[in-house]
Amino acid sequence: MVALAETEASSLRIQQVSKSFPAPEDPLTRRPALSNISFSVAAGELVSLIGPSGCGKSTLLRLLAGLDFADAGELLIGSEPISDPSAERGLVFQDPNLFPWLTVRRNIQAGLVARGVLREKREEVNEFMRLVGLGSFANAYPHHLSGGMAQRVALARALINHPKVLLLDEPLGALDAFTRMRMQDEVLRLWQARRTTMLLVTHDIDEAIYMSDHIMIMTPRPGRIDRTISVALDRPRQRSSPDFLRLRGDILEFIHFAGNASTENKS
Amino acid sequence: MLQGEEVTGCPEVSRPAPPSHLTSGQTQPESDAIHAVAPASKLRWRTQLAVPIAALLALGVHLLFSKRVPPVETHSYTLLFWEILGVSIVLAIAQPFWTSLRRWMRHMCPIFTAAILLLGVWDVITLGFQLLPLPYFPGPAAVLRSLINDRALLLDSTWHSLVLLLSGYTLGVIAGLISGICIGWSTPVRYWGMPVLKVVGPIPATAWIPLAMVVSPSAIVSAAGLIALAVWFPVTMLTASGISNTRASYLDVARTLGAGRGYLIFRVAIPAAIPNIFIGLFMGLGASFLTLVVAESIGVKSGLGWYVSWAQGWAEYGKVFAALVIMAAFFSTLMTLLFKVRDRVLVWQKGVIKW
Ligand SMILES: Nc1ncnc2c1ncn2[C@@H]1O[C@H](COP(=O)(O)OP(=O)(O)OP(=O)(O)O)[C@@H](O)[C@H]1O
Ligand SMILES: [Mg+2]
């Protein structure tokens, strides 16, 4: 029962959240980036967020991480309002943002150092370095890495803290197809082993279907959640099964429609 | 655990070889240097002979002109050239068997040649045709003689200068780092500190000399204080700007990893500011040389600055130049040391910026 209560504490609830930014052309007016967003992610669920560029996906993740504040609305983790960043809510940024002055190994262990637990958990550093397949680059500096390698280091850096909620902003975007599929399985394995709540931003519809329990589709200007689709396929999923492909077709059709609608609105 | 193709096992047990492009980066300067035309294994005759020929030339010029001076005065100078000649011949014989020596010679021969020729030109201008007024511009032989004859006092002066410079510089750097970090990090400190910095900082430290002499009991202490002040300003300025220009995304990443304020300041902001801080350290070092020499020639009764004005008082310009030579060597050694420290600390920048 205690364990259940603990996992419940990692659910996310977003209610009527809006966020606007000063418009670049006229700093006195504000332009909405998110408007009236509401959704919830149950503890231990993996939910994907897809949508066109600029619709506010990264903004939403920053709010959930506690790096920015919403203009209106409520963001809750469990029953606690989100106010500050915390190691409980890991965020993998769209850019790897590795610390250039630290080697790969030291980048990965940064979270342990920050929380002062490096001594107890030193073995995990090796484990995560193997996980992302960068063992031989332990002592290289970030600018020696390719884009995909850097993103894998960023992923390991966030995972090493064992966050209750993991917010992923296109973490696999720069990877080649093979590594990407391998990392998808790896993330799924971690997700199942730890019952981490995950919110995954992606541009890849296959990835969204392959990985998530639900897919939320966002539309831009201002960012809203247009539709939530539940993926009722058994795991492990087959990327070429008829059900998979049918769902893929549905989502593509929907996005195409939504895209047309938004361009019509604009004109 | 899923094993990737790049997995090489536990790095704690077997230290992996550095990535190949890391090691190839170190040999690169050799391969694409200007000398790439010559086979890497051999030194060209031109390079090998440049130094001895230049030495012979300078020596010949000197012997030609030094007939009217007593031989005592030029003895050590001629000896110097015989030594250069001897050493360069020995090195030329040794270099086929010693790769790193060869690399060093390839790099250094042109610059040595130029330096020796410059000595010759100086000799011609001063001793040869006496184009510059005496006794203000002695020839290189006279300077070398002063250098050798007065070595005890020069060494002592250098030591005093070193102690004074290092104590002032260290003090200034510590103060500058502390104030720079506070101003860069904290908004209220910046609000109150920045105006003070902007008003007081640009005053040259030497302008405070009259005041410093009154305030402090000992000239040495006030000189150290002035040097510290001269160093403090650029170090503070650049540290503060480095800290406040830390990329927000680095701080964001650290905060989502659970970092507290200590980590954000000492493990994110300061490392991010290190390139800037080093610029401040270099500027501070330059300012400290200036302040040192001025303070020594005005108030302090020791050190190279004092030696110069003392020798000038006796119209011994050979000694003045000797002290200048020592100063040049002394200051450039300190600069080089700081460069070495920077290269060490900022290895991670290698490849990010033009090195
Ligand atoms: N700090 C900021 N200041 C001003 N405007 C911002 C800021 N951050 C985001 N925006 C605006 O908010 C909107 C949403 O940006 P966001 O980065 O969330 O998009 P996104 O969905 O992540 O896009 P992409 O898929 O390209 O990453 C954009 O129109 C952007 O211009
Ligand atoms: Mg984004």
Side-chain angles (χ1 to χ4, degrees):
Chain A
M1 275 297 107
V2 178
L4 185 71
E6 233 165 56
T7 54
E8 286 309 316
S10 65
S11 66
L12 289 174
R13 211 158 76 238
I14 287 86
Q15 285 171 339
Q16 307 277 310
V17 163
S18 299
K19 173 80 184 168
S20 61
F21 289 108
E25 62 277 2
D26 176 12
L28 293 179
T29 61
R30 294 178 75 84
R31 216 173 45 183
L34 298 174
S35 111
N36 257 327
I37 299 240
S38 299
F39 66 90
S40 58
V41 180
E45 263 186 340
L46 200 167
V47 173
S48 289
L49 201 56
I50 60 178
S53 184
C55 68
K57 306 181 294 292
S58 299
T59 306
L60 186 57
L61 290 202
R62 283 182 64 85
L63 293 180
L64 286 167
L67 293 171
D68 271 336
F69 300 103
D71 299 342
E74 244 189 337
L75 296 111
L76 301 170
I77 170 165
S79 50
E80 299 282 314
I82 292 171
S83 58
D84 277 319
S86 125
E88 284 186 352
R89 275 167 282 124
L91 172 57
V92 179
F93 291 71
Q94 199 164 1
D95 298 326
N97 277 323
L98 301 180
F99 300 126
W101 54 86
L102 296 182
T103 58
V104 165
R105 161 180 284 272
R106 286 174 185 276
N107 261 292
I108 290 177
Q109 68 193 20
L112 301 181
V113 175
R115 292 186 299 136
V117 295
L118 178 63
R119 196 165 303 163
E120 300 95 89
K121 308 216 167 167
R122 199 179 281 278
E123 295 76 51
E124 289 193 24
V125 181
N126 294 330
E127 187 191 316
F128 278 96
M129 215 128 60
R130 265 198 303 276
L131 165 72
V132 293
L134 286 168
S136 60
F137 278 83
N139 297 316
Y141 284 98
H143 68 266
H144 287 125
L145 306 180
S146 70
M149 289 166 156
Q151 230 169 7
R152 280 183 279 163
V153 176
L155 190 61
R157 182 171 63 173
L159 289 171
I160 203 161
N161 270 341
H162 299 286
K164 282 200 250 171
V165 175
L166 191 57
L167 309 163
L168 302 159
D169 200 347
E170 293 180 50
L172 311 179
L175 303 186
D176 62 285
F178 281 116
T179 320
R180 189 179 180 115
M181 285 196 261
R182 184 165 73 80
M183 292 307 295
Q184 286 170 358
D185 286 327
E186 230 9 90
V187 171
L188 282 177
R189 193 186 62 77
L190 284 164
W191 169 66
Q192 274 158 346
R194 303 214 185 118
R195 308 305 304 157
T196 312
T197 307
M198 288 195 187
L199 188 56
L200 169 74
V201 169
T202 177
H203 277 141
D204 180 349
I205 295 170
D206 285 0
E207 180 171 283
I209 301 172
Y210 183 70
M211 297 190 62
S212 33
D213 296 321
H214 306 286
I215 300 174
M216 299 192 292
I217 300 175
M218 283 184 79
T219 51
R221 278 176 291 267
R224 279 176 296 108
I225 291 180
D226 212 86
R227 170 176 295 204
T228 304
I229 295 167
S230 291
V231 185
L233 304 175
D234 290 334
R235 296 174 189 273
R237 292 174 180 161
Q238 300 302 317
R239 292 175 203 266
S240 51
S241 73
D243 287 340
F244 194 104
L245 295 176
R246 192 175 320 120
L247 192 55
R248 186 169 184 271
D250 290 350
I251 293 175
L252 274 174
E253 194 176 328
F254 177 76
I255 289 176
H256 184 66
F257 172 74
N260 281 348
S262 72
T263 42
E264 271 162 29
N265 281 351
K266 239 177 85 183
S267 55
Chain B
M1 180 66 54
L2 208 144
Q3 299 281 320
E5 54 290 341
E6 290 167 41
V7 172
T8 55
C10 179
E12 294 280 82
V13 182
S14 62
R15 188 162 279 256
S20 58
H21 47 287
L22 276 180
T23 43
S24 71
Q26 288 165 357
T27 54
Q28 206 176 341
E30 203 196 354
S31 61
D32 65 10
I34 29 170
H35 309 281
V37 260
S41 54
K42 265 179 123 180
L43 215 56
R44 283 185 300 184
W45 281 108
R46 214 199 305 168
T47 321
Q48 288 192 46
L49 288 180
V51 171
I53 288 176
L56 276 176
L57 218 74
L59 186 60
V61 164
H62 181 73
L63 292 177
L64 195 71
F65 289 126
S66 65
K67 293 210 183 81
R68 40 196 135 107
V69 237
V72 209
E73 298 210 342
T74 66
H75 177 68
S76 39
Y77 188 65
T78 31
L79 207 63
L80 175 74
F81 279 111
W82 287 116
E83 277 163 14
I84 291 177
L85 216 57
V87 169
S88 62
I89 288 166
V90 169
L91 289 185
I93 294 169
Q95 55 85 14
F97 313 103
W98 195 354
T99 324
S100 57
L101 173 69
R102 192 159 57 238
R103 193 178 308 153
W104 182 79
M105 280 175 73
R106 183 175 298 149
H107 188 65
M108 296 307 287
C109 275
I111 209 85
F112 271 127
T113 312
I116 293 167
L117 289 179
L118 217 60
L119 277 181
V121 172
W122 179 12
D123 218 9
V124 171
I125 293 174
T126 52
L127 188 67
F129 298 111
Q130 310 202 327
L131 296 176
L132 294 171
L134 281 171
Y136 308 110
F137 294 97
V143 173
L144 184 67
R145 215 170 90 86
S146 310
L147 203 60
I148 292 169
N149 288 350
D150 220 11
R151 58 184 178 277
L153 188 53
L154 274 169
L155 199 69
D156 187 59
S157 300
T158 311
W159 171 248
H160 278 102
S161 286
L162 182 69
V163 171
L164 182 54
L165 184 78
L166 286 190
S167 48
Y169 187 71
T170 314
L171 199 68
V173 167
I174 292 172
L177 287 178
I178 293 174
S179 57
I181 290 166
C182 294
I183 290 175
W185 185 260
S186 145
T187 320
V189 177
R190 177 162 42 235
Y191 178 83
W192 296 109
M194 214 46 173
V196 178
L197 192 66
K198 278 184 179 157
V199 171
V200 178
I203 302 174
T206 47
W208 296 100
I209 285 179
L211 208 64
M213 281 170 153
V214 178
V215 170
S216 161
S218 118
I220 298 265
V221 172
S222 61
L226 287 177
I227 294 172
L229 184 66
V231 175
W232 168 80
F233 174 58
V235 173
T236 305
M237 215 51 181
L238 280 140
T239 305
S241 82
I243 298 266
S244 56
N245 287 337
T246 306
R247 262 174 61 180
S249 54
Y250 294 147
L251 296 169
D252 286 346
V253 170
R255 292 203 305 151
T256 61
L257 292 175
R261 199 158 64 160
Y263 190 95
L264 293 180
I265 296 178
F266 290 100
R267 306 258 184 164
V268 182
I270 292 181
I274 288 278
N276 252 335
I277 291 176
F278 266 99
I279 298 174
L281 293 181
F282 280 113
M283 289 170 62
L285 195 59
S288 74
F289 295 157
L290 177 76
T291 316
L292 173 80
V293 173
V294 174
E296 279 179 345
S297 44
I298 292 180
V300 185
K301 292 278 171 282
S302 63
L304 289 170
W306 164 81
Y307 184 94
V308 169
S309 52
W310 171 80
Q312 189 224 4
W314 291 99
E316 298 206 56
Y317 285 90
K319 290 186 179 178
V320 171
F321 277 87
L324 290 181
V325 168
I326 299 273
M327 262 186 217
F330 174 47
F331 292 159
S332 66
T333 306
L334 288 180
M335 268 295 174
T336 312
L337 274 178
L338 191 56
F339 266 110
K340 287 259 186 295
V341 173
R342 187 206 62 171
D343 293 354
R344 196 64 185 259
V345 173
L346 290 180
V347 262
W348 57 268
Q349 274 202 323
K350 214 168 186 164
V352 178
I353 56 164
K354 186 175 184 302
W355 194 250

